[in-house]
Amino acid sequence: MTRTILYIEDDPASRRLIERMLKHAGYRVLLAERGLQGIDLARLERPDLILTDINLPDLSGHEIATTLRNDERFQDTPIVALTAQGHAAQDMAMAAGVTGFLTKPIDIEILLTQVKYYLEGGQDEIDSERLFSAQVRYTREVVARLEGRIRELESVNQELLKLDRMKETFIQITAHELRTPLTLVFGYHRLLEDHLTIKTLMDSDEGIKTLIYGMGEAVTRMQNMIEEILIMSRIITKKIDLSLSPTNLGNVMEGAIDYFHDSLSHRKIRIHFDKSIWPRQMQADTDLMRIVMINLLSNAIKYTPDDSDVFTLVSVDGENVRFSVLDTGIGINPDQHKRIFEQFHTVDDAKLHSTSKTTFMGGGLGLGLAMCKGIIEAHGGKIWVESLGRDLETYPGSQFVVVMPLIARRSLPKLT
Ligand code: ADP
């Protein structure tokens, strides 16, 4: 039976040399460059012997031995350390729990005989007094290293928090700076559209009309994207401040459906909506709820083929309202049901997506649902999706469900 040896070594030259020797002697060899990688590989492959260098970039060989010895499955596995010459290093390895050690530089003949010896149950011995004092030194060393690591992690964590704050400030400043000139472009476009000469030109020349409309659409898309990014950054930094007021949810849904009027008739998509059953009085942030409705409808339209139906459903249950947008589109696989609510997550490659909010299978930034989730949760509600799976032939559809309180309260700052 071929025996398996795991060799943990960060130096490529030693790795290659010893791998070749062990393979030549008929062993199956597994290699790891780092301590944690070695431990994972050991747990996965259960080698017959583990050979480890002492100085590794993450865990030391000592720490690898101690970790594996604490795992029942490795109580009897020979773990052999490659140490420097001298008692101190060897005693320390024994204190950490190795079966034996080989000294560097390695003599190939000795390596093969020793490997055989350890595989057959052989063990190195040191006297108990030396072992005891090595154990004391080893414990001190581990504690000191642990303290060093905790300090390192703390400073990295501080650095990451600082970078995170910088990233948020950068997003906010960039988006605000972009918004100002874009508002000007939007205004100029309006003036252009209303200009008498241009109007006459547009009436007589389809090409010019398309150009002017295209320009308007592009500017609106850019404005929407900037708004999305700004709202998203408020949601991420938990700075979403609800502006609560009496809200007629039926009006909000009606307005959102109206927003898509042109594309709905163009794509022959029928949205079923009965305003009379929607609650007229609730306490919510009307503008943010409009964003939720627009995003849910936009997705339903985007992922449903032409000449199909989208349903809007609603019911009031005690203090909560439950509403949903149910489409007859491509559907969503269960493994994506949670992930689609993450920021910048798109099921298909975002690069393949067009930026239109209504083209079939057209995409966006992958922010829409993350934004909906942030807004609904800020109101104290929940949002989720139900869908049997994705199928571009049978169109199983998806249903996005929201349950939220009729009277939302501004969440109070948490006491820590
Ligand atoms: P995007 O703006 O890219 O559409 P969203 O956050 O709104 O981003 O949606 C994330 C992903 O979820 C989309 O890329 C899409 O693959 C999937 N998705 C969202 N809504 C639907 C739906 N109604 N039907 C099928 N897939 C959907």
Side-chain angles (χ1 to χ4, degrees):
M1 195 185 64
T2 311
R3 319 292 306 267
T4 301
I5 296 178
L6 167 63
Y7 178 36
I8 311 172
E9 168 68 79
D10 62 325
D11 174 45
S14 309
R15 228 174 24 236
R16 270 196 303 275
L17 176 71
I18 292 188
E19 180 192 17
R20 204 174 307 149
M21 293 305 153
L22 290 172
K23 276 190 171 163
H24 188 71
Y27 297 109
R28 173 175 171 247
V29 183
L30 304 171
L31 296 170
E33 293 173 35
R34 288 173 173 262
L36 284 173
Q37 186 196 5
I39 290 177
D40 289 344
L41 201 57
R43 288 185 174 141
L44 196 74
E45 296 272 346
R46 309 283 301 277
D48 299 294
L49 181 143
I50 297 161
L51 188 61
T52 178
D53 186 29
I54 290 296
N55 297 315
L56 293 162
D58 50 355
L59 292 180
S60 71
H62 299 137
E63 286 157 348
I64 297 174
T66 310
T67 308
L68 290 176
R69 279 286 178 254
N70 278 326
D71 181 334
E72 256 179 27
R73 292 167 297 174
F74 294 96
Q75 301 247 305
D76 301 321
T77 310
I79 302 176
V80 181
L82 296 174
T83 69
Q85 300 260 6
H87 278 318
Q90 293 161 357
D91 293 356
M92 187 86 108
M94 294 301 285
V98 303
T99 316
F101 47 81
L102 289 163
T103 45
K104 281 185 159 182
I106 289 171
D107 179 320
I108 295 301
E109 284 301 315
I110 295 179
L111 168 82
L112 295 177
T113 348
Q114 287 297 96
V115 162
K116 197 158 171 284
Y117 166 72
Y118 296 125
L119 274 171
E120 284 166 2
Q123 257 185 327
D124 289 351
E125 303 283 345
I126 58 168
D127 77 58
S128 54
E129 229 168 273
R130 262 172 51 194
L131 186 65
F132 177 71
S133 76
Q135 270 164 347
V136 173
R137 267 188 296 131
Y138 178 52
T139 311
R140 280 200 198 119
E141 191 193 272
V142 170
V143 172
R145 254 170 73 89
L146 202 63
E147 187 190 332
R149 281 288 159 100
I150 291 171
R151 285 188 193 284
E152 242 172 63
L153 282 178
E154 263 176 6
S155 93
V156 170
N157 196 23
Q158 288 302 329
E159 207 46 42
L160 285 177
L161 286 173
K162 202 167 110 195
L163 281 175
D164 210 39
R165 280 195 294 270
M166 273 169 69
K167 184 192 75 187
E168 286 312 322
T169 318
F170 176 75
I171 291 175
Q172 293 268 357
I173 291 175
T174 318
H176 278 295
E177 290 298 312
L178 285 175
R179 195 153 68 164
T180 318
L182 208 58
T183 313
L184 280 178
V185 179
F186 184 73
Y188 291 148
H189 173 261
R190 271 283 162 83
L191 289 176
L192 215 61
E193 239 182 356
D194 293 343
H195 196 283
L196 260 184
T197 325
I198 302 287
K199 262 192 171 154
T200 329
L201 265 175
M202 278 165 71
D203 287 341
S204 61
D205 187 331
E206 269 305 305
I208 299 228
K209 197 172 169 180
T210 318
L211 281 180
I212 301 278
Y213 279 162
M215 196 179 176
E217 265 180 33
V219 173
T220 312
R221 271 208 313 262
M222 273 168 84
Q223 281 181 322
N224 287 341
M225 268 190 212
I226 291 176
E227 285 313 312
E228 275 186 13
I229 290 172
L230 280 173
I231 294 175
M232 205 54 228
S233 99
R234 275 165 58 203
I235 292 173
I236 296 166
T237 48
K238 309 245 180 312
K239 285 198 193 117
I240 188 151
D241 191 14
L242 296 182
S243 165
L244 297 176
S245 62
T247 302
N248 180 325
L249 208 59
N251 276 352
V252 177
M253 184 52 111
E254 188 177 48
I257 297 174
D258 215 39
Y259 176 84
F260 292 106
H261 181 271
D262 291 349
S263 24
L264 288 171
S265 59
H266 174 67
R267 296 220 17 236
K268 294 204 189 71
I269 292 186
R270 298 163 290 275
I271 299 204
H272 301 262
F273 166 65
D274 175 2
K275 191 174 167 188
S276 69
I277 56 169
W278 283 70
R280 278 178 218 114
Q281 279 286 332
M282 62 182 280
Q283 184 85 340
D285 186 315
T286 318
D287 291 343
L288 292 181
M289 287 311 293
R290 180 177 149 82
I291 290 176
V292 171
M293 299 306 196
I294 287 187
N295 273 291
L296 294 182
L297 288 176
S298 157
N299 281 345
I301 300 169
K302 258 188 326 197
Y303 299 103
T304 303
D306 290 4
D307 201 2
S308 308
D309 297 275
V310 170
F311 301 88
T312 57
L313 311 167
V314 69
S315 62
V316 172
D317 179 15
E319 296 178 343
N320 291 318
V321 54
R322 176 192 169 105
F323 64 89
S324 62
V325 175
L326 187 158
D327 64 50
T328 49
I330 60 171
I332 303 163
N333 284 334
D335 65 332
Q336 295 285 335
H337 287 186
K338 275 222 160 73
R339 302 202 58 202
I340 54 171
F341 289 96
E342 290 168 11
Q343 308 159 47
F344 298 110
H345 180 81
T346 52
V347 174
D348 298 300
D349 188 346
K351 279 188 251 127
L352 297 176
H353 286 179
S354 82
T355 42
S356 162
K357 283 214 175 277
T358 48
T359 332
F360 182 48
M361 303 277 283
L365 295 174
L367 283 179
L369 289 176
M371 217 152 53
C372 293
K373 184 169 183 277
I375 294 171
I376 296 297
E377 286 178 354
H379 281 84
K382 273 190 199 157
I383 180 168
W384 69 91
V385 66
E386 290 170 9
S387 174
L388 290 175
R390 179 166 150 144
D391 194 322
L392 274 82
E393 278 170 15
T394 60
Y395 295 116
S398 314
Q399 180 171 17
F400 284 83
V401 189
V402 173
V403 175
M404 63 189 286
L406 281 164
I407 311 282
R409 272 183 210 95
R410 271 187 203 89
S411 49
L412 296 169
K414 281 196 187 106
L415 296 173
T416 46

